[in-house]
């Protein structure tokens, strides 16, 4: 099971996504820090991420920068008279 979230960083202009990976009891998750992984959700495209650390409950933190493994909703950003559309695929 994967729980993910993300945000557009106004400093670097990239989308940063992050979350927790959990496994059914008796299933072992890989060791973090072994480089990059690709996370693919049903119907999605692979997204490059990094496994960071185990939490006290045995879950694994995953982070990525760029296109996330989940779809983004389209949003409108209004800047005075300028309207910019972001997100969506």
């Amino acid at each position: 099971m994967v729980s993910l979230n993300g945000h557009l960083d106004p400093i670097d202009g990239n989308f940063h996504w992050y979350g927790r990976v959990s496994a059914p009891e008796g299933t072992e998750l890989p060791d973090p820090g072994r480089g990059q992984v690709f996370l693919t959700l049903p119907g999605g495209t692979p997204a490059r991420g990094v496994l960071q650390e185990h939490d006290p409950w045995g879950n694994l933190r995953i982070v990525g920068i760029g296109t996330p493994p989940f779809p983004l909703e389209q949003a409108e950003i209004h800047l005075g008279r300028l309207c910019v559309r972001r997100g969506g695929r």
Side-chain angles (χ1 to χ4, degrees):
M1 182 171 174
V2 180
S3 175
L4 299 170
N5 203 342
H7 68 275
L8 181 63
D9 187 306
I11 305 291
D12 66 14
N14 292 312
F15 191 84
H16 293 250
W17 58 271
Y18 41 85
R20 298 277 177 196
V21 179
S22 60
E25 194 168 326
T27 304
E28 208 171 301
L29 291 169
D31 288 332
R34 290 193 172 177
Q36 297 183 350
V37 297
F38 288 90
L39 179 62
T40 307
L41 301 180
T45 57
R48 186 177 303 222
V50 176
L51 301 177
Q52 286 193 323
E53 63 193 9
H54 285 284
D55 66 18
W57 301 274
N59 300 316
L60 196 54
R61 179 164 168 80
I62 186 169
V63 298
I65 298 174
T67 304
F70 52 87
L72 296 175
E73 293 182 18
Q74 191 165 351
E76 288 186 8
I77 302 170
H78 295 274
L79 304 170
R81 294 180 185 212
L82 178 64
C83 180
V84 179
R85 289 187 176 265
R86 299 225 34 161
R89 291 189 183 193

